Amino acid sequence: MTAADWGLLMVAATAAGWVDAVVGGGGLILLPAILLVAPQLSPQAALATNKVTAVFGTAAAVVTFARKVALDWKILVPAAVLAAVAAAGGAAAVSLIDRDLFIPIIMVALVGVAVLVTTRPTIGTVAAARPPTTRKILVVVLLAAGCFGFYDGILGPGTGTFFIIAFATLLGTEFVRSAAMAKVLNLGSNVGALTFFAVTGHVLWQLGAAMAVCNVIGAVLGSRAALARGAGFVRVVLLVVVIGMVVRLGWQQFG
């Protein structure tokens, strides 16, 4: 790769880290950039190398959020482990899934997210009047970890976004808190998928490590922006990213 190619990937990694920290979906920035610069890579190698970057960026976002947002680690840590196991299973099942059918389903889900956030402006911007019970939190978090963790291993785009929407709608948490919780579980799913890809020999470690540095910078800046500007800012970014993901997936599927 040329110096310009490396520069493009570093910029893309920084932007992906920022977006991923705020609302998820950073993979839809970085993955196309990797495939553009290195079209000779297999999809598995591109996904695997992106996961190296994502693990470090997500970990940086978790640390930044945890300093400002009180999190229930007794629930989130076991859920993150579940997400890791589910993601590894999803990565192992990649070859069994017909992506030509899977991507339109995800597009429909993302459109539903956009409609929900648009028509119900209080979602994620105002905390629920009645806090959810511990049992409800446990059920929702574990179900999200299993389902979205598996999805992250198979495909991945928008995993953090789906976590955020699930927590905001089902638990009534504000977007900033939802984002903080999502990062913990997304870290688990990233580690699980990366572990599988590493064992199967698909990771380009040098490229992944270089992008990880920029991704961490973007993740720290993004999480700080979310904390400073609040739920309204996250809501706007969420809508922009969801629309962008629908357009990108639509182009990939039908373009």
Side-chain angles (χ1 to χ4, degrees):
M1 292 190 298
T2 66
D5 292 335
W6 278 91
L8 173 62
L9 289 180
M10 298 309 108
V11 171
T14 304
W18 192 95
V19 170
D20 214 39
V22 180
V23 293
L28 280 175
I29 296 174
L30 189 53
L31 272 175
I34 294 173
L35 293 173
L36 174 66
V37 169
Q40 73 277 13
L41 292 181
S42 66
Q44 291 89 345
L47 284 167
T49 305
N50 178 62
K51 284 300 179 188
V52 176
T53 305
V55 164
F56 286 95
T58 307
V62 169
V63 171
T64 303
F65 275 121
R67 289 173 177 172
K68 300 291 184 179
V69 180
L71 297 171
D72 191 340
W73 295 105
K74 291 182 180 179
I75 293 177
L76 291 177
V77 170
V81 173
L82 174 60
V85 174
V94 166
S95 61
L96 304 177
I97 300 299
D98 185 348
R99 292 194 174 196
D100 289 339
L101 296 177
F102 202 55
I103 289 177
I105 295 173
I106 301 307
M107 290 175 63
V108 171
L110 287 169
V111 170
V113 167
V115 171
L116 182 67
V117 174
T118 301
T119 57
R120 297 180 60 184
T122 59
I123 289 179
T125 59
V126 179
R130 293 183 179 180
T133 63
T134 301
R135 180 178 180 180
K136 183 176 181 179
I137 294 173
L138 183 63
V139 170
V140 170
V141 170
L142 290 179
L143 282 176
C147 295
F148 300 143
F150 187 79
Y151 165 73
D152 196 20
I154 290 181
L155 196 61
T159 299
T161 306
F162 289 133
F163 275 129
I164 291 171
I165 289 298
F167 298 150
T169 55
L170 300 178
L171 298 179
T173 54
E174 295 180 345
F175 277 139
V176 173
R177 180 174 296 278
S178 296
M181 295 168 62
K183 288 298 100 183
V184 177
L185 301 194
N186 208 176
L187 176 59
S189 65
N190 283 333
V191 169
L194 175 60
T195 300
F196 176 83
F197 286 131
V199 170
T200 53
H202 288 104
V203 182
L204 303 178
W205 292 104
Q206 289 183 336
L207 177 59
M211 293 190 298
V213 174
C214 296
N215 196 257
V216 167
I217 294 171
V220 171
L221 294 175
S223 50
R224 287 180 177 177
L227 289 166
R229 300 192 181 186
F233 167 75
V234 176
R235 179 177 182 271
V236 172
V237 176
L238 177 64
L239 283 171
V240 171
V241 170
V242 166
I243 293 171
M245 284 193 285
V246 172
V247 172
R248 175 67 182 85
L249 288 172
W251 179 264
Q252 176 182 334
Q253 183 73 9
F254 306 111

